Amino acid sequence: MREYIPTNIGFENLLCVLILLSRLGDIGSTYLITPKLKLETNPIARKLGWWFAIATVFVCLVPYYSTALAIVILVPSLMVCAANTGKVWFARAYGEDNYHELILNVARRSRLSHALIPTLVAAIFTALIGLILLMLSPDPTNWGYWFAQGFLAYAFVIGFYGSLFFVRLFRRAKREDKKPDHPAGKPSC
């Protein structure tokens, strides 16, 4: 793969720029969707806030330590950016608070398993991409192996953080339903 990159650019430099772009894309698209981080699925990023998100751009330096690890970071970063970007229009048009209230209302009318199962199935299908790539490139000296690891990392991220997000959302919906001042929690006459 390195033979296709002009020598004046350098493979590590190219990976650094690609990771930087993917991190900026993730941060920018996250900001467009959820400036208050109400809809952020990563509980660490939601708790630590924007300074943490911005600090993640420094992972662009990983290629100077390990180009293989850089590929593992690049793939999920690009995938998260792509997934976020597909949600920007609706979130911006509807508004973060309204979107959050909408999904809370949907959670009140649904079951946690109805949200978790599709999330986990999406993670499984993504993991299958990684596993197929591993079958085709089982040797760690092959770049396909590291792309496979990136897809497996992304599968973990969407399965784990997506599930955590829905568990938290459904708990909040249930908690709010029990409040006496909430319309769903008021006794009917």
Side-chain angles (χ1 to χ4, degrees):
M1 182 150 82
R2 292 176 190 240
E3 61 269 14
Y4 299 110
I5 300 168
T7 54
N8 62 338
I9 292 176
F11 188 54
E12 292 83 0
N13 295 335
L14 178 62
L15 286 174
C16 177
V17 169
L18 290 173
I19 292 171
L20 179 63
L21 288 174
S22 69
R23 294 306 313 135
L24 291 173
D26 179 12
I27 294 165
S29 60
T30 298
Y31 182 78
L32 289 173
I33 293 169
T34 181
K36 297 182 226 168
L37 296 172
K38 283 178 123 178
L39 305 170
E40 174 59 48
T41 59
N42 182 337
I44 298 166
R46 194 179 55 258
K47 179 132 178 101
L48 297 179
W50 286 109
W51 72 266
F52 173 77
I54 292 166
T56 66
V57 299
F58 289 108
V59 300
C60 74
L61 301 175
V62 168
Y64 302 109
Y65 169 73
S66 167
T67 54
L69 184 57
I71 295 293
V72 176
I73 291 169
L74 178 63
V75 172
S77 292
L78 290 170
M79 298 293 288
V80 167
C81 186
N84 282 357
T85 304
K87 299 171 189 167
V88 168
W89 165 76
F90 185 82
R92 296 290 290 176
Y94 205 63
E96 180 180 17
D97 292 328
N98 290 337
Y99 194 149
H100 188 255
E101 193 56 41
L102 173 68
I103 60 176
L104 274 171
N105 285 331
V106 172
R108 289 182 189 106
R109 294 183 176 104
S110 183
R111 293 185 186 149
L112 177 58
S113 62
H114 294 169
L116 288 179
I117 290 170
T119 300
L120 295 174
V121 169
I124 289 167
F125 281 121
T126 304
L128 283 173
I129 295 170
L131 293 173
I132 291 166
L133 274 170
L134 275 178
M135 286 178 11
L136 297 172
S137 302
D139 182 3
T141 63
N142 186 307
W143 288 111
Y145 175 89
W146 297 105
F147 274 93
Q149 297 298 327
F151 276 103
L152 291 172
Y154 179 68
F156 173 78
V157 165
I158 62 172
F160 183 70
Y161 288 140
S163 296
L164 285 178
F165 177 79
F166 283 122
V167 167
R168 191 180 73 253
L169 179 76
F170 276 76
R171 279 187 189 153
R172 181 170 180 183
K174 189 175 280 193
R175 236 185 0 257
E176 288 183 5
D177 276 353
K178 292 180 182 179
K179 288 181 182 176
D181 63 334
H182 191 275
K186 289 184 179 178
S188 58
C189 297

